[in-house]
């Protein structure tokens, strides 16, 4: 029963687009005191998966329908002398609060990696956000979503202008998104659909790459200015896939790499990493995780 639930939930999670159901294994890792450096040598999936999802589903019972049971307290360094499977009373938990995902040490770096295993600091907001002079799907609006960090914004502008010169008309649709906005979206989703659904379809605060100010969702009139997989087959989508690296952008969630990125194919989501890194990633056909040497397959 539980195993089926795990498979189902993981499968759905990969369809979550720019969103995320993360925080579960990471939380457990944190509680267990397992380090998070580089490639994990800990067989997380086999050692803690059942625990993780058991914990998840039991916790979710507060907002869904399953009967409440005391949670199993995982072993920590502090209580490692006690039997690991000792039952303890459940501690009150707020299901709508994000889980403790390890926080990156370099949130302001152009090569910062944010994914289901690494989050940005709570409230992190780049200090150099500007609005690039490009067409937006929502028109002229001086909002967060129209902004990127200066270096990325300037490069985006160049890319859009070059594309236009080649008859490719691109539209920016979603740039920076604040921690607070992501948190509000997440909480609203929880209030509407319950934690279990929310965590599947909306990224936990701190784990959206849009919070870096280095990611832009790009679309075109050929797909009604929407963010859809069909963008891949359009002239605009193809142009971006082939040329974005010249301007320092990578296709962050490539097709067929869900097991590495944790996200479904997103032909519209481009991430600025700088020309040098983007060129290498493009030439070698890598994901950002592979380039950074921090792959933890799902
Ligand atoms: Zn995106």
């Amino acid at each position: 029963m539980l195993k089926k639930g795990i498979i189902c939930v993981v499968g759905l999670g990969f369809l979550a687009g720019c969103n995320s159901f993360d925080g579960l294994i990471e939380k457990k890792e944190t509680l267990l005191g397992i380090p998070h450096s580089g490639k994990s040598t800990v067989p997380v999936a086999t050692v803690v998966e059942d625990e993780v999802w058991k914990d998840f589903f039991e916790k979710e019972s507060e907002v869904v329908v399953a009967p409440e049971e005391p949670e199993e307290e995982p072993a920590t360094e502090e209580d490692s002398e006690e039997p690991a499977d000792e039952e303890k009373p459940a501690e009150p938990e707020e299901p709508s609060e994000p889980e403790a995902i390890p926080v990156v040490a370099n949130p302001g770096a152009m090569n910062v990696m944010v994914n289901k295993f690494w989050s940005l600091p709570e409230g992190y907001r780049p200090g150099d956000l500007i609005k690039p002079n490009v067409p937006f799907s929502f028109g002229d609006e001086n909002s967060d979503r129209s902004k990127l960090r200066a270096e990325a914004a300037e490069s985006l502008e160049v890319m859009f202008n070059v594309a236009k010169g080649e008859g490719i008309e691109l539209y920016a649709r979603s740039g920076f998104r604040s921690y607070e906005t992501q948190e509000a979206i997440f909480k609203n989703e929880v209030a509407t659909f319950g934690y279990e659904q929310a965590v599947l379809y909306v990224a936990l605060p701190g784990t959206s790459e849009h919070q870096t100010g280095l990611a832009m969702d790009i679309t075109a009139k050929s797909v009604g200015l929407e963010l859809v997989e069909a963008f891949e087959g359009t002239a605009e989508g193809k142009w971006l896939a082939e040329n974005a690296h010249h301007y320092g952008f990578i296709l962050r969630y490539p097709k067929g790499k869900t097991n590495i990125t944790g996200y479904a194919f997103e032909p519209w989501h481009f991430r600025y990493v700088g020309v040098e890194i983007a060129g290498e990633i493009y030439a070698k056909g890598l994901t950002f995780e592979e380039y950074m040497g921090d792959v933890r397959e799902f």
Side-chain angles (χ1 to χ4, degrees):
M1 182 70 175
L2 181 59
K3 290 269 186 188
K4 282 182 183 173
I6 291 167
I7 292 164
C8 176
V9 168
V10 170
L12 285 171
F14 291 151
L15 299 173
C18 284
N19 304 320
S20 150
F21 68 103
D22 19 306
L24 304 168
I25 291 174
E26 300 84 84
K27 176 196 174 197
K28 187 67 64 168
E29 278 192 281
T30 304
L31 292 170
L32 289 166
I34 297 167
H36 298 88
S37 56
K39 292 180 181 178
S40 175
T41 55
V42 179
V44 172
T46 53
V47 171
V48 301
E49 186 179 68
D50 284 1
E51 283 284 302
V52 168
W53 291 100
K54 186 167 186 288
D55 180 52
F56 173 56
F57 282 106
E58 288 181 356
K59 179 158 65 64
E60 293 341 305
S61 69
E62 293 176 32
V63 291
V64 193
V65 286
E68 291 202 6
E69 293 177 36
E71 292 189 80
E72 272 188 36
E73 189 75 8
T76 65
E77 296 207 351
E78 290 75 32
D79 64 13
S80 59
E81 292 174 10
E82 299 172 12
D85 59 352
E86 181 182 333
E87 291 286 339
K88 291 186 175 180
E91 292 182 9
E93 279 194 64
E94 170 53 63
S96 63
E97 288 302 315
E99 312 294 346
I101 300 172
V103 175
V104 298
N106 60 341
M110 288 298 150
N111 67 346
V112 61
M113 188 170 76
V114 177
N115 56 23
K116 294 173 190 280
F117 297 98
W118 292 104
S119 75
L120 291 163
E122 183 175 344
Y124 170 74
R125 184 184 178 93
D128 59 349
L129 293 169
I130 62 170
K131 182 185 174 188
N133 184 21
V134 299
F136 288 90
S137 63
F138 45 80
D140 190 27
E141 176 184 296
N142 192 32
S143 56
D144 274 357
R145 64 178 175 168
S146 66
K147 292 173 184 166
L148 287 178
R149 294 189 60 193
E151 185 177 326
E154 287 160 12
S155 203
L156 188 86
E157 220 174 279
V158 173
M159 181 168 77
F160 273 45
N161 284 335
V162 172
K164 193 175 180 182
E166 297 179 19
I168 299 294
E169 201 177 352
L170 303 173
Y171 286 81
R173 175 156 171 151
S174 188
F176 175 69
R177 191 181 307 147
S178 72
Y179 184 96
E180 292 74 19
T181 296
Q182 191 68 32
E183 191 172 43
I185 292 170
F186 186 80
K187 285 185 173 177
N188 183 61
E189 194 82 357
V190 170
T192 309
F193 300 108
Y195 187 95
E196 189 176 347
Q197 287 298 306
V199 82
L200 288 177
Y201 294 107
V202 176
L204 287 166
T207 70
S208 169
E209 201 177 48
H210 286 275
Q211 196 194 333
T212 63
L214 297 170
M216 181 61 83
D217 294 332
I218 303 170
T219 183
K221 286 182 175 172
S222 57
V223 287
L225 300 179
E226 298 294 327
L227 303 179
V228 291
E229 199 171 317
F231 185 57
E232 177 197 19
T234 66
E236 297 87 358
K238 288 176 182 171
W239 190 94
L240 277 172
E242 285 304 311
N243 294 284
H245 64 281
H246 294 309
Y247 309 94
F249 286 89
I250 58 169
L251 182 61
R252 180 69 177 86
Y253 308 116
K255 202 171 200 171
K257 298 295 179 72
T258 300
N259 61 326
I260 296 174
T261 65
Y263 286 98
F265 176 43
E266 293 191 356
W268 59 84
H269 181 110
F270 286 84
R271 158 69 197 274
Y272 184 79
V273 290
V275 173
E276 193 176 329
I277 296 176
E280 186 175 342
I281 285 175
Y282 176 84
K284 295 181 178 175
L286 302 173
T287 59
F288 195 35
E289 279 78 9
E290 289 168 312
Y291 174 81
M292 298 296 283
D294 188 359
V295 173
R296 313 179 200 197
E297 297 211 7
F298 287 86

